[in-house]
Amino acid sequence: MAITIHHDGDTWHLLSEGATSDGKTYCHLASTTRFLPQKNGSVPVQISDWISNAVILSAAIQGEETQRSVTAKKHLGACVPWRGRGGDLGACIYCGEKPDSITAYYADRAASGQAVLTAHR
């Protein structure tokens, strides 16, 4: 997943990160809006600059949330509920919906070890 940040009035893809000093990281950036024509086609304008760690972190979090929402919309298979510390089933890790009774039954059965015992009878 490419991290996209806003810097100096432009939008940039974060290509790589280097040294870190005083809460900033030296980054290699490629523009998403400006390109240079070459024989083999257009290539993005690239720069290196010190970027605040807070900017990089917030862009990474925003990208993760966007990816999760896209994944939830594409969720076509069976729901996969997460199990809390107390053993109770939570919402699906993909779409966020509560599991139906059939999914809950088989999830509890698989977790108890009964599935293994009955499969080999």
Side-chain angles (χ1 to χ4, degrees):
M1 176 185 80
I3 296 176
T4 304
I5 64 170
H6 299 284
H7 179 66
D8 287 342
D10 201 356
T11 306
W12 303 88
H13 285 303
L14 179 65
L15 299 179
S16 63
E17 298 178 36
T20 301
S21 177
D22 298 327
K24 293 185 176 186
T25 302
Y26 196 69
C27 298
H28 180 200
L29 308 170
S31 178
T32 61
T33 58
R34 294 184 291 160
F35 297 87
L36 296 173
Q38 289 187 351
K39 281 186 178 180
N40 60 348
S42 296
V43 294
V45 172
Q46 299 181 25
I47 64 167
S48 294
D49 201 359
W50 291 94
I51 308 295
S52 171
N53 290 339
V55 171
I56 296 170
L57 180 61
S58 65
I61 291 171
Q62 183 179 4
E64 178 82 16
E65 292 298 323
T66 302
Q67 183 63 36
R68 285 186 186 187
S69 67
V70 168
T71 302
K73 290 177 186 174
K74 291 185 197 175
H75 174 52
L76 301 175
C79 287
V80 180
W82 58 268
R83 188 172 294 281
R85 287 187 180 178
D88 52 334
L89 287 178
C92 174
I93 60 174
Y94 297 116
C95 63
E97 294 182 11
K98 291 286 185 184
D100 58 357
S101 58
I102 295 172
T103 303
Y105 170 77
Y106 283 108
D108 286 339
R109 187 168 183 263
S112 69
Q114 291 297 320
V116 174
L117 295 176
T118 58
H120 294 289
R121 285 187 186 176

